[in-house]
Amino acid sequence: MKYVIRIIQVSTLFGGVEFLAMLLFGDLKASVQPVAFGAVCASLILSGVLGILERKISKHKKTNC
């Protein structure tokens, strides 16, 4: 389970990096920039939540063993 969460976390971060690159280096219209910024923020939040979840699962497994 730990590796599944890690894979999802890494793929989410890569998606956020892609949107960040589009935001910084792409020629986006002003109406699209908030959407790209929202996608970057959402990927960071989701990655953080998955990291917290992974730590709680690993701590829970250590106490049960």
Side-chain angles (χ1 to χ4, degrees):
M1 184 70 179
K2 180 173 109 174
Y3 296 111
V4 172
I5 292 174
R6 181 69 68 179
I7 289 170
I8 294 170
Q9 188 177 19
V10 168
S11 66
T12 303
L13 280 176
F14 280 145
V17 168
E18 180 183 348
F19 276 109
L20 184 63
M22 285 178 18
L23 187 63
L24 293 176
F25 302 116
D27 189 24
L28 298 177
K29 295 181 180 178
S31 62
V32 181
Q33 286 178 349
V35 175
F37 183 70
V40 170
C41 289
S43 71
L44 289 174
I45 291 170
L46 185 60
S47 178
V49 168
L50 287 172
I52 292 169
L53 194 82
E54 179 185 359
R55 279 182 288 203
K56 288 198 182 264
I57 287 173
S58 66
K59 186 186 286 187
H60 182 66
K61 283 186 178 181
K62 285 181 183 177
T63 57
N64 283 342
C65 291

Short mmCIF file of all heavy atoms in Angstrom, two decimals:
data_model
loop_
_atom_site.label_atom_id
_atom_site.label_comp_id
_atom_site.label_asym_id
_atom_site.label_seq_id
_atom_site.Cartn_x
_atom_site.Cartn_y
_atom_site.Cartn_z
N MET A 1 0.82 -1.19 0.00
CA MET A 1 0.00 0.00 0.00
C MET A 1 0.87 1.26 0.00
O MET A 1 0.51 2.26 -0.61
CB MET A 1 -0.91 -0.04 1.24
CG MET A 1 -1.87 1.08 1.34
SD MET A 1 -3.09 0.87 0.06
CE MET A 1 -4.13 2.25 0.36
N LYS A 2 2.01 1.16 0.70
CA LYS A 2 2.90 2.31 0.79
C LYS A 2 3.42 2.72 -0.59
O LYS A 2 3.49 3.91 -0.90
CB LYS A 2 4.06 1.96 1.71
CG LYS A 2 5.06 3.05 1.91
CD LYS A 2 6.07 2.67 2.96
CE LYS A 2 7.39 2.40 2.33
NZ LYS A 2 8.45 2.16 3.29
N TYR A 3 3.74 1.74 -1.42
CA TYR A 3 4.29 2.05 -2.74
C TYR A 3 3.22 2.59 -3.69
O TYR A 3 3.52 3.43 -4.54
CB TYR A 3 4.96 0.82 -3.33
CG TYR A 3 6.15 0.39 -2.51
CD1 TYR A 3 6.13 -0.78 -1.77
CD2 TYR A 3 7.29 1.18 -2.45
CE1 TYR A 3 7.21 -1.16 -1.00
CE2 TYR A 3 8.38 0.81 -1.69
CZ TYR A 3 8.34 -0.35 -0.97
OH TYR A 3 9.41 -0.72 -0.22
N VAL A 4 1.99 2.16 -3.52
CA VAL A 4 0.90 2.69 -4.35
C VAL A 4 0.69 4.17 -4.05
O VAL A 4 0.55 5.00 -4.96
CB VAL A 4 -0.41 1.89 -4.11
CG1 VAL A 4 -1.58 2.54 -4.81
CG2 VAL A 4 -0.24 0.45 -4.55
N ILE A 5 0.71 4.52 -2.77
CA ILE A 5 0.56 5.92 -2.38
C ILE A 5 1.73 6.74 -2.91
O ILE A 5 1.55 7.85 -3.40
CB ILE A 5 0.43 6.04 -0.85
CG1 ILE A 5 -0.90 5.44 -0.39
CG2 ILE A 5 0.53 7.49 -0.41
CD1 ILE A 5 -1.07 5.39 1.10
N ARG A 6 2.94 6.17 -2.82
CA ARG A 6 4.13 6.90 -3.31
C ARG A 6 4.06 7.13 -4.82
O ARG A 6 4.40 8.21 -5.30
CB ARG A 6 5.38 6.09 -2.95
CG ARG A 6 6.67 6.73 -3.36
CD ARG A 6 7.00 7.94 -2.60
NE ARG A 6 7.29 7.57 -1.23
CZ ARG A 6 7.62 8.44 -0.30
NH1 ARG A 6 7.71 9.70 -0.59
NH2 ARG A 6 7.85 8.05 0.93
N ILE A 7 3.58 6.14 -5.57
CA ILE A 7 3.46 6.29 -7.03
C ILE A 7 2.44 7.37 -7.37
O ILE A 7 2.67 8.21 -8.25
CB ILE A 7 3.10 4.94 -7.68
CG1 ILE A 7 4.30 3.99 -7.61
CG2 ILE A 7 2.66 5.12 -9.12
CD1 ILE A 7 3.98 2.56 -7.99
N ILE A 8 1.31 7.37 -6.69
CA ILE A 8 0.29 8.39 -6.93
C ILE A 8 0.83 9.77 -6.57
O ILE A 8 0.60 10.75 -7.28
CB ILE A 8 -1.00 8.06 -6.15
CG1 ILE A 8 -1.64 6.79 -6.68
CG2 ILE A 8 -1.99 9.21 -6.22
CD1 ILE A 8 -2.76 6.26 -5.83
N GLN A 9 1.58 9.84 -5.47
CA GLN A 9 2.13 11.11 -5.03
C GLN A 9 3.13 11.66 -6.05
O GLN A 9 3.09 12.84 -6.39
CB GLN A 9 2.82 10.90 -3.68
CG GLN A 9 3.28 12.16 -3.01
CD GLN A 9 3.89 11.87 -1.65
OE1 GLN A 9 4.28 10.74 -1.36
NE2 GLN A 9 3.97 12.88 -0.83
N VAL A 10 3.99 10.81 -6.56
CA VAL A 10 4.99 11.25 -7.53
C VAL A 10 4.33 11.67 -8.84
O VAL A 10 4.69 12.70 -9.43
CB VAL A 10 6.04 10.14 -7.76
CG1 VAL A 10 6.90 10.43 -8.97
CG2 VAL A 10 6.89 9.97 -6.53
N SER A 11 3.35 10.91 -9.30
CA SER A 11 2.68 11.28 -10.55
C SER A 11 1.90 12.58 -10.40
O SER A 11 1.86 13.39 -11.32
CB SER A 11 1.76 10.15 -11.02
OG SER A 11 0.69 9.99 -10.12
N THR A 12 1.34 12.82 -9.23
CA THR A 12 0.64 14.08 -8.98
C THR A 12 1.62 15.25 -8.98
O THR A 12 1.34 16.31 -9.55
CB THR A 12 -0.10 14.02 -7.63
OG1 THR A 12 -0.99 12.92 -7.64
CG2 THR A 12 -0.88 15.28 -7.37
N LEU A 13 2.78 15.05 -8.38
CA LEU A 13 3.79 16.11 -8.38
C LEU A 13 4.31 16.40 -9.78
O LEU A 13 4.54 17.55 -10.13
CB LEU A 13 4.94 15.74 -7.45
CG LEU A 13 4.69 15.98 -5.97
CD1 LEU A 13 5.86 15.48 -5.15
CD2 LEU A 13 4.45 17.45 -5.70
N PHE A 14 4.50 15.35 -10.58
CA PHE A 14 4.94 15.58 -11.95
C PHE A 14 3.89 16.35 -12.76
O PHE A 14 4.23 17.19 -13.59
CB PHE A 14 5.28 14.27 -12.66
CG PHE A 14 6.63 13.73 -12.31
CD1 PHE A 14 6.84 12.37 -12.21
CD2 PHE A 14 7.71 14.57 -12.07
CE1 PHE A 14 8.09 11.87 -11.88
CE2 PHE A 14 8.96 14.08 -11.74
CZ PHE A 14 9.14 12.72 -11.65
N GLY A 15 2.63 16.05 -12.52
CA GLY A 15 1.57 16.81 -13.18
C GLY A 15 1.59 18.27 -12.76
O GLY A 15 1.40 19.18 -13.58
N GLY A 16 1.83 18.51 -11.47
CA GLY A 16 1.94 19.88 -10.99
C GLY A 16 3.12 20.61 -11.58
O GLY A 16 3.03 21.79 -11.91
N VAL A 17 4.24 19.91 -11.73
CA VAL A 17 5.42 20.51 -12.34
C VAL A 17 5.16 20.86 -13.80
O VAL A 17 5.59 21.90 -14.30
CB VAL A 17 6.64 19.57 -12.20
CG1 VAL A 17 7.80 20.01 -13.07
CG2 VAL A 17 7.06 19.48 -10.75
N GLU A 18 4.42 20.00 -14.47
CA GLU A 18 4.08 20.27 -15.87
C GLU A 18 3.23 21.53 -15.99
O GLU A 18 3.49 22.39 -16.84
CB GLU A 18 3.33 19.08 -16.45
CG GLU A 18 2.92 19.24 -17.88
CD GLU A 18 2.11 18.06 -18.39
OE1 GLU A 18 2.07 17.02 -17.72
OE2 GLU A 18 1.53 18.21 -19.48
N PHE A 19 2.24 21.66 -15.12
CA PHE A 19 1.41 22.86 -15.15
C PHE A 19 2.21 24.09 -14.74
O PHE A 19 2.00 25.19 -15.26
CB PHE A 19 0.19 22.71 -14.25
CG PHE A 19 -0.96 22.01 -14.92
CD1 PHE A 19 -1.31 20.73 -14.54
CD2 PHE A 19 -1.68 22.63 -15.91
CE1 PHE A 19 -2.36 20.08 -15.15
CE2 PHE A 19 -2.73 21.99 -16.54
CZ PHE A 19 -3.08 20.71 -16.16
N LEU A 20 3.15 23.93 -13.81
CA LEU A 20 3.98 25.06 -13.39
C LEU A 20 4.87 25.51 -14.54
O LEU A 20 5.05 26.72 -14.75
CB LEU A 20 4.83 24.66 -12.19
CG LEU A 20 5.69 25.75 -11.58
CD1 LEU A 20 4.81 26.87 -11.02
CD2 LEU A 20 6.56 25.18 -10.49
N ALA A 21 5.42 24.57 -15.29
CA ALA A 21 6.23 24.92 -16.46
C ALA A 21 5.39 25.64 -17.51
O ALA A 21 5.86 26.61 -18.11
CB ALA A 21 6.87 23.67 -17.05
N MET A 22 4.17 25.17 -17.71
CA MET A 22 3.29 25.85 -18.66
C MET A 22 2.97 27.26 -18.17
O MET A 22 2.89 28.20 -18.95
CB MET A 22 1.98 25.07 -18.85
CG MET A 22 2.11 23.85 -19.69
SD MET A 22 0.61 22.86 -19.89
CE MET A 22 -0.73 23.87 -19.45
N LEU A 23 2.82 27.40 -16.86
CA LEU A 23 2.49 28.71 -16.30
C LEU A 23 3.67 29.67 -16.43
O LEU A 23 3.48 30.84 -16.77
CB LEU A 23 2.10 28.55 -14.83
CG LEU A 23 1.55 29.75 -14.09
CD1 LEU A 23 0.25 30.22 -14.72
CD2 LEU A 23 1.32 29.40 -12.64
N LEU A 24 4.87 29.17 -16.18
CA LEU A 24 6.04 30.05 -16.22
C LEU A 24 6.57 30.31 -17.62
O LEU A 24 6.92 31.44 -17.96
CB LEU A 24 7.16 29.45 -15.36
CG LEU A 24 6.90 29.38 -13.87
CD1 LEU A 24 8.05 28.66 -13.17
CD2 LEU A 24 6.71 30.76 -13.29
N PHE A 25 6.63 29.27 -18.43
CA PHE A 25 7.28 29.40 -19.73
C PHE A 25 6.32 29.39 -20.91
O PHE A 25 6.72 29.70 -22.03
CB PHE A 25 8.31 28.27 -19.92
CG PHE A 25 9.35 28.25 -18.85
CD1 PHE A 25 9.45 27.18 -17.99
CD2 PHE A 25 10.22 29.31 -18.69
CE1 PHE A 25 10.40 27.14 -17.00
CE2 PHE A 25 11.18 29.30 -17.69
CZ PHE A 25 11.28 28.20 -16.84
N GLY A 26 5.09 29.01 -20.68
CA GLY A 26 4.12 28.96 -21.78
C GLY A 26 3.50 30.31 -22.05
O GLY A 26 3.54 31.23 -21.23
N ASP A 27 2.94 30.43 -23.20
CA ASP A 27 2.27 31.67 -23.58
C ASP A 27 0.77 31.49 -23.33
O ASP A 27 -0.01 31.32 -24.27
CB ASP A 27 2.56 31.97 -25.05
CG ASP A 27 2.07 33.36 -25.44
OD1 ASP A 27 1.94 34.20 -24.55
OD2 ASP A 27 1.82 33.57 -26.65
N LEU A 28 0.39 31.49 -22.06
CA LEU A 28 -1.00 31.27 -21.69
C LEU A 28 -1.76 32.59 -21.68
O LEU A 28 -1.22 33.63 -21.35
CB LEU A 28 -1.09 30.63 -20.30
CG LEU A 28 -0.44 29.26 -20.14
CD1 LEU A 28 -0.56 28.82 -18.69
CD2 LEU A 28 -1.10 28.25 -21.04
N LYS A 29 -3.01 32.50 -22.03
CA LYS A 29 -3.86 33.68 -21.97
C LYS A 29 -4.18 33.99 -20.51
O LYS A 29 -4.07 33.14 -19.64
CB LYS A 29 -5.16 33.44 -22.74
CG LYS A 29 -4.94 33.25 -24.22
CD LYS A 29 -6.24 33.04 -24.93
CE LYS A 29 -5.99 32.84 -26.41
NZ LYS A 29 -7.22 32.57 -27.14
N ALA A 30 -4.59 35.20 -20.27
CA ALA A 30 -4.87 35.63 -18.90
C ALA A 30 -6.02 34.85 -18.28
O ALA A 30 -6.07 34.66 -17.07
CB ALA A 30 -5.18 37.13 -18.88
N SER A 31 -6.93 34.37 -19.10
CA SER A 31 -8.07 33.63 -18.56
C SER A 31 -7.70 32.20 -18.17
O SER A 31 -8.40 31.58 -17.38
CB SER A 31 -9.21 33.59 -19.58
OG SER A 31 -8.79 32.93 -20.76
N VAL A 32 -6.59 31.69 -18.68
CA VAL A 32 -6.18 30.31 -18.40
C VAL A 32 -5.19 30.25 -17.24
O VAL A 32 -5.06 29.22 -16.58
CB VAL A 32 -5.57 29.67 -19.67
CG1 VAL A 32 -5.15 28.24 -19.44
CG2 VAL A 32 -6.57 29.73 -20.81
N GLN A 33 -4.51 31.34 -16.95
CA GLN A 33 -3.49 31.35 -15.91
C GLN A 33 -4.04 30.97 -14.53
O GLN A 33 -3.39 30.19 -13.82
CB GLN A 33 -2.80 32.70 -15.85
CG GLN A 33 -1.85 32.90 -17.00
CD GLN A 33 -1.19 34.27 -16.97
OE1 GLN A 33 -1.59 35.13 -16.20
NE2 GLN A 33 -0.20 34.45 -17.82
N PRO A 34 -5.20 31.44 -14.09
CA PRO A 34 -5.71 30.99 -12.79
C PRO A 34 -6.01 29.50 -12.73
O PRO A 34 -5.85 28.87 -11.68
CB PRO A 34 -6.99 31.81 -12.59
CG PRO A 34 -6.86 32.97 -13.48
CD PRO A 34 -6.02 32.52 -14.63
N VAL A 35 -6.41 28.92 -13.84
CA VAL A 35 -6.69 27.49 -13.88
C VAL A 35 -5.40 26.71 -13.71
O VAL A 35 -5.34 25.73 -12.96
CB VAL A 35 -7.40 27.11 -15.21
CG1 VAL A 35 -7.58 25.62 -15.32
CG2 VAL A 35 -8.73 27.84 -15.33
N ALA A 36 -4.33 27.13 -14.40
CA ALA A 36 -3.04 26.45 -14.27
C ALA A 36 -2.50 26.63 -12.85
O ALA A 36 -1.96 25.68 -12.27
CB ALA A 36 -2.05 27.01 -15.29
N PHE A 37 -2.65 27.81 -12.28
CA PHE A 37 -2.20 28.03 -10.90
C PHE A 37 -3.01 27.17 -9.92
O PHE A 37 -2.45 26.62 -8.98
CB PHE A 37 -2.33 29.51 -10.54
CG PHE A 37 -1.81 29.83 -9.18
CD1 PHE A 37 -0.45 29.77 -8.92
CD2 PHE A 37 -2.67 30.17 -8.16
CE1 PHE A 37 0.03 30.07 -7.66
CE2 PHE A 37 -2.20 30.46 -6.90
CZ PHE A 37 -0.85 30.41 -6.64
N GLY A 38 -4.29 27.03 -10.15
CA GLY A 38 -5.12 26.16 -9.32
C GLY A 38 -4.71 24.70 -9.42
O GLY A 38 -4.72 23.97 -8.43
N ALA A 39 -4.33 24.27 -10.62
CA ALA A 39 -3.87 22.89 -10.79
C ALA A 39 -2.56 22.65 -10.05
O ALA A 39 -2.37 21.59 -9.45
CB ALA A 39 -3.70 22.59 -12.28
N VAL A 40 -1.67 23.63 -10.06
CA VAL A 40 -0.41 23.50 -9.32
C VAL A 40 -0.69 23.42 -7.82
O VAL A 40 -0.15 22.56 -7.12
CB VAL A 40 0.53 24.69 -9.64
CG1 VAL A 40 1.73 24.70 -8.71
CG2 VAL A 40 0.98 24.62 -11.09
N CYS A 41 -1.55 24.30 -7.32
CA CYS A 41 -1.89 24.29 -5.89
C CYS A 41 -2.58 22.98 -5.50
O CYS A 41 -2.28 22.41 -4.44
CB CYS A 41 -2.78 25.47 -5.55
SG CYS A 41 -1.92 27.04 -5.60
N ALA A 42 -3.49 22.51 -6.33
CA ALA A 42 -4.19 21.26 -6.03
C ALA A 42 -3.23 20.08 -6.00
O ALA A 42 -3.35 19.20 -5.14
CB ALA A 42 -5.29 21.02 -7.05
N SER A 43 -2.26 20.06 -6.91
CA SER A 43 -1.31 18.94 -6.91
C SER A 43 -0.42 18.97 -5.67
O SER A 43 -0.11 17.93 -5.10
CB SER A 43 -0.46 18.96 -8.18
OG SER A 43 0.45 20.03 -8.17
N LEU A 44 -0.03 20.17 -5.22
CA LEU A 44 0.77 20.27 -4.01
C LEU A 44 -0.02 19.84 -2.78
O LEU A 44 0.50 19.13 -1.91
CB LEU A 44 1.30 21.69 -3.84
CG LEU A 44 2.38 22.12 -4.82
CD1 LEU A 44 2.70 23.59 -4.62
CD2 LEU A 44 3.62 21.29 -4.64
N ILE A 45 -1.26 20.26 -2.70
CA ILE A 45 -2.11 19.89 -1.57
C ILE A 45 -2.35 18.39 -1.55
O ILE A 45 -2.23 17.73 -0.51
CB ILE A 45 -3.43 20.67 -1.60
CG1 ILE A 45 -3.17 22.14 -1.30
CG2 ILE A 45 -4.45 20.10 -0.62
CD1 ILE A 45 -4.36 23.05 -1.55
N LEU A 46 -2.67 17.82 -2.71
CA LEU A 46 -2.92 16.38 -2.79
C LEU A 46 -1.68 15.58 -2.44
O LEU A 46 -1.75 14.57 -1.73
CB LEU A 46 -3.42 16.02 -4.19
CG LEU A 46 -3.84 14.58 -4.42
CD1 LEU A 46 -4.99 14.22 -3.48
CD2 LEU A 46 -4.27 14.38 -5.86
N SER A 47 -0.53 16.03 -2.90
CA SER A 47 0.71 15.34 -2.57
C SER A 47 0.99 15.40 -1.07
O SER A 47 1.44 14.42 -0.48
CB SER A 47 1.87 15.96 -3.36
OG SER A 47 3.07 15.35 -3.01
N GLY A 48 0.73 16.53 -0.46
CA GLY A 48 0.92 16.65 0.98
C GLY A 48 -0.01 15.75 1.76
O GLY A 48 0.39 15.10 2.73
N VAL A 49 -1.27 15.69 1.34
CA VAL A 49 -2.24 14.82 2.01
C VAL A 49 -1.83 13.36 1.87
O VAL A 49 -1.92 12.58 2.82
CB VAL A 49 -3.66 15.07 1.45
CG1 VAL A 49 -4.63 14.00 1.90
CG2 VAL A 49 -4.15 16.45 1.86
N LEU A 50 -1.36 12.98 0.70
CA LEU A 50 -0.91 11.60 0.50
C LEU A 50 0.32 11.29 1.35
O LEU A 50 0.46 10.18 1.86
CB LEU A 50 -0.62 11.35 -0.98
CG LEU A 50 -1.85 11.23 -1.88
CD1 LEU A 50 -1.41 11.18 -3.34
CD2 LEU A 50 -2.67 10.03 -1.52
N GLY A 51 1.21 12.26 1.52
CA GLY A 51 2.37 12.05 2.37
C GLY A 51 1.97 11.84 3.83
O GLY A 51 2.51 10.97 4.52
N ILE A 52 1.01 12.63 4.30
CA ILE A 52 0.51 12.47 5.67
C ILE A 52 -0.16 11.12 5.82
O ILE A 52 0.05 10.41 6.82
CB ILE A 52 -0.47 13.61 6.01
CG1 ILE A 52 0.28 14.94 6.10
CG2 ILE A 52 -1.21 13.33 7.30
CD1 ILE A 52 -0.62 16.16 6.18
N LEU A 53 -0.94 10.72 4.84
CA LEU A 53 -1.62 9.43 4.88
C LEU A 53 -0.61 8.29 4.92
O LEU A 53 -0.78 7.33 5.69
CB LEU A 53 -2.53 9.30 3.66
CG LEU A 53 -3.53 8.19 3.68
CD1 LEU A 53 -4.74 8.65 4.48
CD2 LEU A 53 -3.95 7.82 2.28
N GLU A 54 0.44 8.39 4.13
CA GLU A 54 1.46 7.35 4.11
C GLU A 54 2.15 7.22 5.46
O GLU A 54 2.40 6.12 5.95
CB GLU A 54 2.49 7.67 3.03
CG GLU A 54 3.60 6.66 2.94
CD GLU A 54 4.66 7.06 1.96
OE1 GLU A 54 4.53 8.13 1.32
OE2 GLU A 54 5.64 6.32 1.84
N ARG A 55 2.46 8.35 6.09
CA ARG A 55 3.10 8.30 7.41
C ARG A 55 2.20 7.70 8.46
O ARG A 55 2.64 6.93 9.31
CB ARG A 55 3.54 9.70 7.84
CG ARG A 55 4.85 10.11 7.21
CD ARG A 55 5.22 11.44 7.69
NE ARG A 55 4.27 12.34 7.04
CZ ARG A 55 4.46 13.62 6.83
NH1 ARG A 55 5.54 14.19 7.27
NH2 ARG A 55 3.58 14.36 6.21
N LYS A 56 0.91 8.02 8.40
CA LYS A 56 -0.04 7.45 9.37
C LYS A 56 -0.18 5.95 9.18
O LYS A 56 -0.26 5.20 10.15
CB LYS A 56 -1.39 8.14 9.27
CG LYS A 56 -1.37 9.54 9.81
CD LYS A 56 -2.77 10.01 10.09
CE LYS A 56 -2.73 11.42 10.57
NZ LYS A 56 -2.75 11.55 11.99
N ILE A 57 -0.20 5.49 7.94
CA ILE A 57 -0.30 4.06 7.67
C ILE A 57 0.94 3.33 8.16
O ILE A 57 0.85 2.28 8.79
CB ILE A 57 -0.55 3.80 6.16
CG1 ILE A 57 -1.98 4.20 5.80
CG2 ILE A 57 -0.31 2.34 5.83
CD1 ILE A 57 -2.27 4.14 4.31
N SER A 58 2.12 3.89 7.88
CA SER A 58 3.35 3.22 8.31
C SER A 58 3.47 3.24 9.83
O SER A 58 3.94 2.27 10.43
CB SER A 58 4.58 3.87 7.67
OG SER A 58 4.73 5.19 8.13
N LYS A 59 3.03 4.30 10.50
CA LYS A 59 3.07 4.35 11.96
C LYS A 59 2.09 3.35 12.55
O LYS A 59 2.37 2.68 13.53
CB LYS A 59 2.73 5.75 12.45
CG LYS A 59 2.89 5.92 13.95
CD LYS A 59 2.40 7.27 14.44
CE LYS A 59 3.37 8.35 14.05
NZ LYS A 59 3.02 9.64 14.65
N HIS A 60 0.92 3.22 11.91
CA HIS A 60 -0.09 2.28 12.38
C HIS A 60 0.40 0.84 12.25
O HIS A 60 0.16 0.01 13.12
CB HIS A 60 -1.39 2.48 11.61
CG HIS A 60 -2.52 1.60 12.05
ND1 HIS A 60 -3.09 1.70 13.28
CD2 HIS A 60 -3.16 0.58 11.41
CE1 HIS A 60 -4.05 0.79 13.39
NE2 HIS A 60 -4.11 0.10 12.26
N LYS A 61 1.10 0.53 11.16
CA LYS A 61 1.63 -0.83 10.97
C LYS A 61 2.72 -1.13 11.97
O LYS A 61 2.83 -2.26 12.44
CB LYS A 61 2.17 -0.98 9.54
CG LYS A 61 1.08 -1.17 8.52
CD LYS A 61 1.68 -1.46 7.17
CE LYS A 61 0.59 -1.69 6.16
NZ LYS A 61 1.14 -2.00 4.84
N LYS A 62 3.53 -0.14 12.34
CA LYS A 62 4.59 -0.37 13.31
C LYS A 62 4.03 -0.66 14.70
O LYS A 62 4.56 -1.48 15.43
CB LYS A 62 5.52 0.84 13.39
CG LYS A 62 6.45 0.96 12.22
CD LYS A 62 7.35 2.17 12.38
CE LYS A 62 8.23 2.34 11.15
NZ LYS A 62 9.05 3.54 11.25
N THR A 63 2.94 0.00 15.07
CA THR A 63 2.36 -0.22 16.40
C THR A 63 1.61 -1.54 16.47
O THR A 63 1.50 -2.12 17.54
CB THR A 63 1.41 0.93 16.79
OG1 THR A 63 0.38 1.05 15.81
CG2 THR A 63 2.17 2.24 16.91
N ASN A 64 1.10 -2.04 15.35
CA ASN A 64 0.38 -3.31 15.35
C ASN A 64 1.31 -4.52 15.34
O ASN A 64 0.92 -5.61 15.71
CB ASN A 64 -0.57 -3.40 14.15
CG ASN A 64 -1.82 -2.57 14.37
OD1 ASN A 64 -2.14 -2.22 15.50
ND2 ASN A 64 -2.52 -2.27 13.30
N CYS A 65 2.53 -4.36 14.90
CA CYS A 65 3.46 -5.50 14.82
C CYS A 65 4.05 -5.88 16.12
O CYS A 65 4.18 -5.47 17.08
CB CYS A 65 4.58 -5.18 13.83
SG CYS A 65 3.98 -5.11 12.14
#
